Amino acid sequence: MTSGGRVTNPPQVANLPHERFCYAMGEMNYATYESPIGPLLIAGDAQAVTQISFPQNGKAVRPRAEWTESSKGPVGEAIRQLKEYFAGKRQDFDLPLAPEGTAFQRSVWRALQEIPYAETISYGELAKRVGNPKASRAVGSANGKNPLPIVIPCHRVIAAGGKLGGFGGGLPTKVALLELEKKAHAGVEGARLRT
């Protein structure tokens, strides 16, 4: 939920008491979504989305041979919400997520979900938010291994001094995502001022 563009209640992505991510265990499905930044491979099972992959060399990442092409369940819902996001009509995602990673990586990914739409923070600030202010390099590494970009908004983390830093989808993609959010947020704020 948002309040003035800020996340007031980040989406609960699991039903485990101390863990906001759930664990995928079923048959894996995938679909490709032709987004404004290129074809995204989206994968998951009947319970949760596990992966969103940016294109490589302008083409969708190839799915694993054992996966089934299907946009039912969480994969289809992810596509619907991503379409809304790219249309500037969605600021928060409400999806069951099951990213695979270490406990530290998952703590970083949870903290990423707390970054408000159209805002950025530094790697150092993110390290503080996960309770380890001296771990900005480790936080950067975990950020780079985020298997659910956009939905878990790793693009909102920038280097000290306002430089963009790296990005798994490439810097042009990071710029495009940040500009999309800035433009959509400015439109929402402008509409509020007129009413």
Side-chain angles (χ1 to χ4, degrees), residues 26 37 48-49 89 115 117 120-121 125 127 136-137 140 147 152 157 168 174 183-185 188:
I37 58 170
V49 179
K89 297 177 180 176
I115 303 171
Y117 182 84
T120 58
I121 65 169
E125 175 60 27
S136 58
R137 286 186 191 263
I152 298 177
V157 182
K174 186 172 189 169
K183 182 179 176 185
H185 186 67
V188 168

Side-chain angles (χ1 to χ4, degrees), residues 108-190:
V108 170
W109 301 335
R110 281 189 299 273
L112 289 171
Q113 292 181 293
E114 304 286 335
I115 303 171
Y117 182 84
E119 293 186 21
T120 58
I121 65 169
S122 70
Y123 291 101
E125 175 60 27
L126 185 56
K128 289 177 191 170
R129 291 183 184 192
V130 298
N132 199 342
K134 295 182 180 181
S136 58
R137 286 186 191 263
V139 161
S141 177
N143 197 47
K145 292 180 179 161
N146 173 14
L148 293 162
I150 305 171
V151 172
I152 298 177
C154 52
H155 61 279
R156 296 181 190 156
V157 182
I158 59 175
K163 294 184 180 184
L164 290 180
F167 189 61
L171 287 182
T173 298
K174 186 172 189 169
V175 169
L177 294 172
L178 292 173
E179 287 180 356
L180 169 96
E181 291 184 5
K182 183 177 178 182
K183 182 179 176 185
H185 186 67
V188 168
E189 290 302 311

Side-chain angles (χ1 to χ4, degrees), residues 80-112:
R80 186 185 72 75
Q81 291 187 27
L82 283 164
K83 285 179 180 178
E84 292 174 353
Y85 170 83
F86 283 110
K89 297 177 180 176
R90 175 173 287 277
Q91 295 184 4
D92 303 307
F93 291 90
D94 184 19
L95 296 166
L97 305 176
E100 290 184 26
T102 67
F104 178 75
Q105 288 170 336
R106 289 191 311 268
S107 73
V108 170
W109 301 335
R110 281 189 299 273
L112 289 171

